[in-house]
Every structure is written in C-alpha cells, then in structure tokens.
Amino acid sequence: MPTLICDCNQTMPLQPQTLGAALNETLTLHSALCRREAGAFQKAVQTGDDVIVACTQEKRLFAEVGQQTTGASSVVKFVNIRETGGWGADASRAMPKIAALLAAAHLPDAEPVATVTYKSAGRLLIVGALDQAEQVAALVADTLDVTIFARGVSPQPQPGFPGQERKYPVISGDKLTLAGWLGAFEAKWEKSNPIDLDLCTRCNACVAVCPEGAIDLSYQIDSNKCTSHRDCVAVCKVAGAIDFSREAQPLSETFDLVLDLGAKPLVALHAPPQGYFALDGSQGLASPGLLATVVKLRDMVGEFEKPKFFAYKQSLCAHSRNETIGCNACVDICSAGAVSSQKERQQIVVNPNLCIGCGACTTVCPTGALTYAYPRASEQGVRLKTLLTTYAKAGGRQAVVLFHSQGSGHQAVEALGRAAQLDKNLQGMPANIIPQALWHTASVGLDLWLSAITFGASQVAVLVTDEEAPGYLAGLAEQMAVAQAVLHGMGYTGQHFHLLKGPDASGAGALAALDASLKKLAGNQPLVPAAAARFAVAQEKRSTLDMALDHLMTQAPASLPEWIELPAKGSPFGSLLVNKDACTLCLSCVSACPSSALQDNPERPQLRFIEKNCVQCGLCATTCPEDAITLVPRLLLTPQRKEARVLNESQPYQCIRCSKPFGTLKAIESMLGKLAGHAMFQGAAAERLKMCSDCRVIDIYSADNEVKITDI
C-alpha cells in the first residue's frame, strides 16, 4: 500500500526516513504532489493497491486526476498530517504521531453493517405564521409538495403576504403533535375553529366586518377576542365557511419533511428526528439558518440510507425482569428519544429510524447488551493498538489519545492547526497528542479507554463541543470517574482521563483557550503500565474490560488492595450486601438477576454470588420483598472475584409429616408469624403450613373433621 507524503513549500519538517522505518516502507518526500509531481500519484494509483495520500486539502483535485489516469484502479485514502501535527511549535518532534496517523490510515475500512432506509417523496409540512410560511414555500415549491399549517400571521407581515392566491394547501387547528421521522411523519391536530379553511374563499369579508379584529389573514377566529357578534357568519352565507356550532374534529396527515418555524419547537429533543428542522422564523427570510435549511430541504427527495449503528442482545440486558425496572441507563441518556422501555417483555427497544448513532447508550450500558456497530468495538481496538504501537516504535513517549467528533470537533482541531502556523503565540497540536475522529464522542467508553491505557497511552481525552447533549457530558463524566477510580485504586497516580470543552465559536480567544488546554494536557505525566498489552479488543464489552483489568493488575506499580471503591453512578462493577436477619432466602433475587451473578444451590438453601458477573443494575434490590439487599459499587481485585461465595444460607425446614425439606427455616417461620392471627389458618390448617405440598393434600383428604365438597 503506497504512502505519498508531501511538504508544500517546506512548511513541515517531515523526516521520510523516520516515517518509513515506522511504516516498514521507503518513502519519498514530495513538494508539489498535486501539481508538477502529479505523475507520482498517477503511477501509484495504477498499481491497484490502496494508496495513502497525506493531504486532505487537495482531495478533490486528486480525485479528478485519478479519474483522468488511464488504468487507475486503486482506492485512495487521505489523512491529515498538517493541521494535526506538521504545523505548530512541536512539528519537529511530531514524527512518531505522524507515523501513527499514517499507519492507522492503512487499516481496512470498517466492515459493512445493516442499513436503515428512508424514502421521501418531498411532501413538506411548514408550521408557522402563514405569511412567513408562504415566503419559505415560494423557495421550495418547485421541488417539494408544500402544505402549510398556519398559526396566525406575524405581527408585521410584509406587503403581499399572505397572498390572496391559494398556492398551497393550508390547514390549521389546535393541539398539534408530531411523531415520526424522514419519510414517515404523522401530524395530528384538532380542527376546532369555526372557519373551515377548505370552504373559505379568502374574500376577506369576514376580516373586514369583524368589529373585534378577531380574524386575521390566516382566516381563523381568535376565541379570546371574539364576543359573538356573528357579523362574520352573516357575510359568509354564500360560502358557508363559518359555523360556530361545528364540533371539534380530530385529524391527521402524513408528511415526509417538516419545517417548524415556531418559537417553541414541536419536537423538544436535543437530537430531533431526521427530516425535522426547527428554527425561529420570526425574522422571516432573514431568520438565522433559514436559507441553509432551505438548501437541505430541497435535496431531501429520494431514497436515503444510514448505517444501523447499534446491536442489541436481549439476553444480556439488565433493564427489567418480571415487569420490574432495573438498569435504565440507555433510556435516560438517549437524546433522540430512540430508546424506550418494554418492561413487559424484559427488554428495551431501539428505533433505528430515530437513532442518530451517538452511541451514548452503548457507553453507559453496563452489560454490553447494546454495542456500537459502525465501527465495531473490535475495529476501534485494532485502530487504537495500531496507533499506539506505531507511535512507540517511532520513538514516541507519553501518548495522549484525543477523541473528537467528525463535525465541530474536527473543525476545531483543524482551525487550531492553521492558526498555529500563522500565530507563533499558539503551540498548535502538541507532538504527543494523537487526534482521532469519531462519528460521535459518546460512542467510546470505559472498555476502550482502559484498553488504550493498556496499549500504551498515558492519557485519554474527549473533546466535546456544543454538539453534545448535556446528558452525554454527564454520562461521559461518570464513566471517566469510574475509570479513574480503577487506575488510582491500583496505584497508577496522576490524571489519565479528561473531558475537554472545545470552542463553541470560532475566534482567536476560543482557539487560544483550546491551545492552552492541550498544552497543559500534553505536559501531564501520569503513571501507566510498564509494558503494553497484547490482547485484542473483543466485541463483548465485559470481555474487553476483564482483559484490560487483568493487564492493569499484572502491571500494577504497587501491591494491590483487596478491593477498590467506585463511584455509585455509572459503576458496572460491584458487590451486594445482604441483611441476613431480613433475608428469608426466597431467592426471588436469583430469578431477577440478568447476569447470573446471583445463584442458588440445588443441594441446600444458599444464596451464592459471583462478583465478576454483577453489573449493579439493582434488579435484585428492587425485587427483594424484604428490602434486604444493598448495592456496593466496588472492584474486587482478589481471585475470589471470579468465584462463587455464599451471601446467606439457612437450615432447611422439614415437613412435619414426611420429613422432606421443602423450604428454609426462616421463610417458614416468617410465613407462620404473618398468618398466625388469620382466621383461615388456625388449628389443623396452621399445621398444614408446616407440611410439604404432597402431605398437605393428603392431610386434607384424610381428615375426618373436614367438610368436603362431595358432602355438600
């Protein structure tokens, strides 16, 4: 796989020998690869092997040259080494990082996954003031089929709006709700206004005659202003559009796209469904973001696909058992409303049409029932190991992996690199910080963070911007607190995990703040394992965590404690504290446990526990009828973590008739105590409670003083 590096005008101190040694290939340093040395690129793409071009600025030009090259069959990949390392104060020391970035670019693309398909015929619903909606409709009506849901008119409509000509269907009403996604929106409302817009001819007679001014040019009556003069009814006799006695009528209609121009959005989600656009249209065509939205809307006709970003295994899910809710982390954190509870079926449901691929649900899932599918955790693990192994091979030290989004995060990284090349007061991207773009920063969590530390990273940072929902930031912070507690408990001093706030806006001040944060981050030197791990990241979250923890314990710089206390929020590890005085060994907790952490003993009344399996979902504590179970978030470091231990046990209770054990002593005694005063369980009936089920039936039918149904 040929690698082409280029240093235009010698603005980067590239060292092709150092880079070539790390990549196991001979590299030639070009100075005008996209211009007079384009022949080298053409020769490379004719080999049929994948080609890596270390330049993203001229992607379009290289694509055109490749198309014009006879016999070109190579797949071309582009990687940015300029803003991410070649420009800035540390550029001369950035060869290990550049080598790592080039090595990662050599990796194959993520394996394809199932896709989610949207079909849009261009049926657009515009919700807002009628005059503003008509203005926008005029911009898209040549490509989209527009319907307007009128909500009055703006206080100062522009001349000529709304127009008298009925160019678009107009509907109106109360209690408007919206559900669905691109190609499948359903609007529901209540048609309750006295004026029927289907019958209205827009003659304006009712507007002119109304003494209270209760009718505006949206041709709907404001009930707060109307005082029942009914002059409007009199002037509308011919059309018959006004009827105050008409009953409210529920209506619904489907649309492919929705543009909401109201001050309060119909969909109050941080990540609204695809195909729904909301902005404040109070300034008409001058409203911020309106024209950009119009451009997007015009292109949203046809068939669209996106990856199905998640995979779900119900057998691992700790959400519910017996209609009792346990872990609800994924439902609580989803900002798109895509995850919902289905407790009656002991599962959660993820709507793939609403899922935006943020991956926050997979990050907070303690069991790995929800996993990120594109790319898979195993593929991310290979990338991390490649980056860090190549970085170390090229002589790099104290590597910091910086995760950022492909959107605002990527823009911030590139903006800082460009600014540092021009402003010597800025350091730019430090030599030991390796940026890695993700579809969404919330898609990577505890398993990959700890794996990165075992593979050779000294720190892991996540750069967040205004793209991330507040709930995502809280979830990431909780998971980082758990990861940091694990490392500190094992004796790895220093701060290993960081949540960095990126610039929400461009400008020298915002970039200077980011530059200072990265410079401080690069200077940290926390304690890390002496040797890098060699395990492969598994798709199963708990398996990866086990391998990472085993390596961290093996390389621990000091003697390990028996256990590490972890934060209560977000901990996927822990123990249980059982109140033996309250526990009756009913074993309802065993049937509720989704991870087989709690087990019974077929040979004798015992409650056993395997701490390695516990995910701290709380189902056992919620299910326990005696409230005898308390969660203890911690990480046990002794071999007993993987072994079954007895939390509680009791003597078996033997049937007073046949001596067969059929319950626990405490459970039977508790039952006898609770029923002692009950009129139905006195005398012989009370004694039968002490019998097994077989002897109880025999005793009933053999008793002489019992009234039988056959005797009646």
Side-chain angles (χ1 to χ4, degrees):
M1 185 180 295
T3 301
L4 303 177
I5 58 175
C6 181
D7 182 13
C8 298
N9 296 323
Q10 297 181 346
T11 57
M12 295 183 288
L14 296 180
Q15 302 167 16
Q17 294 81 10
T18 302
L19 297 175
L23 298 173
N24 297 320
E25 64 176 304
T26 301
L27 298 182
T28 299
L29 180 60
H30 299 276
S31 58
L33 186 63
C34 59
R35 297 295 190 273
R36 58 183 172 81
E37 294 179 306
F41 171 75
Q42 292 179 302
K43 184 177 180 180
V45 297
Q46 289 173 329
T47 63
D49 297 329
D50 289 357
V51 175
I52 306 299
V53 178
C55 175
T56 55
Q57 176 178 302
E58 300 295 342
K59 288 171 63 175
R60 183 188 62 81
L61 179 58
F62 282 119
E64 292 178 355
V65 172
Q67 291 174 355
Q68 297 170 6
T69 300
T70 303
S73 58
S74 297
V75 175
V76 182
K77 299 180 180 179
F78 299 91
V79 57
N80 184 350
I81 64 171
R82 192 174 66 178
E83 284 86 353
T84 57
W87 281 352
D90 276 357
S92 60
R93 298 189 294 111
M95 293 309 106
K97 173 173 64 174
I98 292 175
L101 294 173
L102 292 173
H106 282 73
L107 294 173
D109 294 333
E111 287 292 323
V113 295
T115 58
V116 181
T117 302
Y118 300 93
K119 294 182 179 180
S120 169
R123 298 169 300 167
L124 171 65
L125 175 66
I126 302 179
V127 181
L130 182 57
D131 54 318
Q132 295 166 354
E134 287 189 350
Q135 286 179 305
V136 177
L139 301 178
V140 297
D142 59 324
T143 58
L144 302 177
D145 181 10
V146 179
T147 299
I148 296 174
F149 192 98
R151 287 188 157 175
V153 294
S154 57
Q156 295 180 339
Q158 294 186 23
F161 286 98
Q164 291 300 112
E165 181 183 353
R166 193 192 301 272
K167 293 183 178 179
Y168 320 102
V170 178
I171 55 179
S172 188
D174 298 320
K175 302 178 182 179
L176 175 63
T177 61
L178 185 70
W181 49 84
L182 175 62
F185 285 106
E186 183 179 21
K188 294 183 179 180
W189 70 96
E190 191 175 86
K191 185 177 179 181
S192 57
N193 203 276
I195 299 181
D196 187 335
L197 292 177
D198 291 332
L199 299 176
C200 177
T201 62
R202 296 193 181 187
C203 67
N204 293 340
C206 59
V207 179
V209 78
C210 180
E212 300 94 358
I215 307 176
D216 59 22
L217 292 179
S218 67
Y219 307 105
Q220 295 285 273
I221 297 175
D222 186 345
S223 59
N224 294 320
K225 296 180 180 179
C226 179
T227 57
S228 303
H229 284 87
R230 303 297 188 262
D231 292 348
C232 55
V233 178
V235 299
C236 194
K237 286 183 178 180
V238 175
I242 306 177
D243 182 359
F244 282 87
S245 64
R246 185 185 298 115
E247 294 184 0
Q249 180 183 4
L251 298 174
S252 66
E253 195 168 340
T254 59
F255 299 93
D256 299 313
L257 302 160
V258 177
L259 175 59
D260 187 352
L261 300 176
K264 184 178 180 181
L266 291 170
V267 180
L269 292 172
H270 186 274
Q274 296 192 56
Y276 173 82
F277 301 88
L279 53 91
D280 186 352
S282 58
Q283 299 181 40
L285 295 182
S287 300
L290 178 60
L291 293 182
T293 302
V294 167
V295 173
K296 292 180 182 178
L297 285 169
R298 292 178 62 88
D299 288 336
M300 299 190 75
V301 178
E303 189 169 307
F304 306 90
E305 285 186 348
K306 71 173 182 180
K308 183 182 177 184
F309 289 100
F310 64 92
Y312 176 60
K313 290 184 179 179
Q314 183 187 3
S315 59
L316 299 178
C317 185
H319 173 62
S320 66
R321 288 294 185 276
N322 304 321
E323 298 193 18
T324 299
I325 298 295
C327 174
N328 212 40
C330 58
V331 178
D332 292 338
I333 202 170
C334 182
S335 70
V339 187
S340 58
S341 170
Q342 204 172 60
K343 64 180 182 180
E344 66 278 2
R345 298 185 62 186
Q346 303 184 166
Q347 65 179 15
I348 54 96
V349 176
V350 184
N351 188 326
N353 295 288
L354 294 177
C355 175
I356 61 169
C358 68
C361 56
T362 67
T363 294
V364 299
C365 178
T367 66
L370 275 170
T371 54
Y372 204 68
Y374 191 75
R376 298 172 177 86
S378 55
E379 293 166 334
Q380 290 281 29
V382 171
R383 176 169 291 273
L384 281 173
K385 185 183 287 188
T386 301
L387 282 168
L388 295 168
T389 301
T390 307
Y391 179 83
K393 179 181 178 181
R397 297 291 181 269
Q398 296 292 325
V400 181
V401 178
L402 176 67
F403 291 116
H404 60 81
S405 70
Q406 293 179 347
S408 296
H410 176 73
Q411 294 173 5
V413 168
E414 289 203 338
L416 178 61
R418 289 191 296 271
Q421 200 261 347
L422 300 173
D423 186 352
K424 301 307 177 185
N425 293 319
L426 296 177
Q427 177 174 333
M429 192 61 62
N432 65 329
I433 294 184
I434 308 174
Q436 276 300 288
L438 302 171
W439 176 266
H440 200 287
T441 53
S443 64
V444 171
L446 194 64
D447 51 340
L448 285 170
W449 295 339
L450 288 176
S451 295
I453 298 297
T454 65
F455 292 153
S458 66
Q459 300 172 82
V460 174
V462 178
L463 178 64
V464 297
T465 63
D466 57 348
E467 285 182 322
E468 284 78 12
Y472 293 171
L473 302 185
L476 289 171
E478 290 171 3
Q479 292 294 301
M480 283 189 173
V482 172
Q484 192 62 70
V486 168
L487 292 184
H488 282 170
M490 293 184 183
Y492 297 99
T493 57
Q495 191 73 17
H496 301 79
F497 304 99
H498 308 268
L499 196 60
L500 300 182
K501 190 69 172 70
D504 293 335
S506 60
L511 290 177
L514 176 60
D515 188 71
S517 298
L518 294 176
K519 183 177 181 180
K520 181 180 178 181
L521 185 67
N524 294 337
Q525 295 188 2
L527 194 59
V528 294
R534 302 178 63 181
F535 67 84
V537 170
Q539 186 62 17
E540 295 77 22
K541 184 175 188 176
R542 302 291 290 196
S543 298
T544 300
L545 284 172
D546 287 340
M547 291 186 287
L549 292 173
D550 287 344
H551 182 81
L552 291 169
M553 287 189 283
T554 302
Q555 298 290 323
S559 58
L560 294 171
E562 181 180 356
W563 52 273
I564 300 171
E565 183 178 355
L566 298 179
K569 287 188 175 181
S571 174
F573 310 110
S575 181
L576 300 177
L577 183 64
V578 175
N579 184 341
K580 295 182 179 180
D581 294 331
C583 176
T584 63
L585 283 174
C586 68
L587 301 182
S588 59
C589 55
V590 174
S591 63
C593 181
S595 59
S596 299
L598 285 168
Q599 301 176 352
D600 63 351
N601 186 343
E603 304 297 328
R604 57 183 304 170
Q606 281 184 340
L607 177 61
R608 300 193 297 179
F609 178 65
I610 302 177
E611 187 158 336
K612 170 182 173 292
N613 294 346
C614 182
V615 298
Q616 296 286 286
C617 65
L619 271 168
C620 55
T622 306
T623 301
C624 179
E626 312 298 340
D627 292 329
I629 300 178
T630 303
L631 302 180
V632 182
R634 72 174 192 179
L635 178 62
L636 186 64
L637 301 180
T638 62
Q640 286 71 35
R641 176 172 175 263
K642 302 179 181 180
E643 300 172 359
R645 69 174 187 268
V646 177
L647 294 182
N648 194 16
E649 60 183 332
S650 175
Q651 294 295 323
Y653 189 90
Q654 296 178 334
C655 174
I656 61 174
R657 185 182 178 110
C658 69
S659 300
K660 181 178 72 175
F662 71 95
T664 66
L665 178 63
K666 180 166 288 188
I668 301 301
E669 287 180 345
S670 175
M671 179 180 64
L672 292 173
K674 292 178 179 179
L675 298 176
H678 199 289
M680 293 293 295
F681 298 98
Q682 302 298 318
E687 291 301 302
R688 291 192 189 105
L689 295 175
K690 304 174 185 178
M691 301 177 188
C692 66
S693 57
D694 293 336
C695 291
R696 198 173 302 143
V697 173
I698 294 172
D699 187 71
I700 290 174
Y701 278 92
S702 62
D704 296 332
N705 59 345
E706 292 286 345
V707 178
K708 301 179 177 60
I709 190 65
T710 55
D711 299 332
I712 300 176

